[in-house]
Amino acid sequence: MTVVERREIALVDLLDRLLAGGVVITGDLTLRIADVDLVRIDLNALVSSVNEQVPSPWRELE
């Protein structure tokens, strides 16, 4: 094993890296019985941090 393969990272560090760049989550889920679609769920989510360059979409409460 090389050093890169054994490298451990804390969960909080991983979340920090993901939020710094942003993460897009997409997916489709379909519940089907006998080739009949009963439930369909489409997921589209953007998870990102908020800072001066990327302001919050909500106004600050005073």
Side-chain angles (χ1 to χ4, degrees):
M1 270 189 212
T2 65
V3 175
V4 174
E5 292 174 357
R6 296 195 61 195
R7 185 175 176 189
E8 294 181 13
I9 186 168
L11 181 60
V12 72
D13 292 333
L14 178 63
L15 287 174
D16 184 49
R17 289 182 186 181
L18 289 175
L19 291 176
V23 178
V24 176
I25 302 170
T26 61
D28 299 320
L29 176 68
T30 304
L31 178 59
R32 176 183 292 187
I33 297 178
D35 289 331
V36 176
D37 293 346
L38 299 176
V39 176
R40 181 174 177 175
I41 299 173
D42 295 326
L43 172 67
N44 296 309
L46 170 64
V47 180
S48 179
S49 62
V50 176
N51 56 31
E52 290 83 23
Q53 288 83 23
V54 183
S56 172
W58 300 281
R59 294 185 326 174
E60 290 186 21
L61 298 176
E62 296 180 20

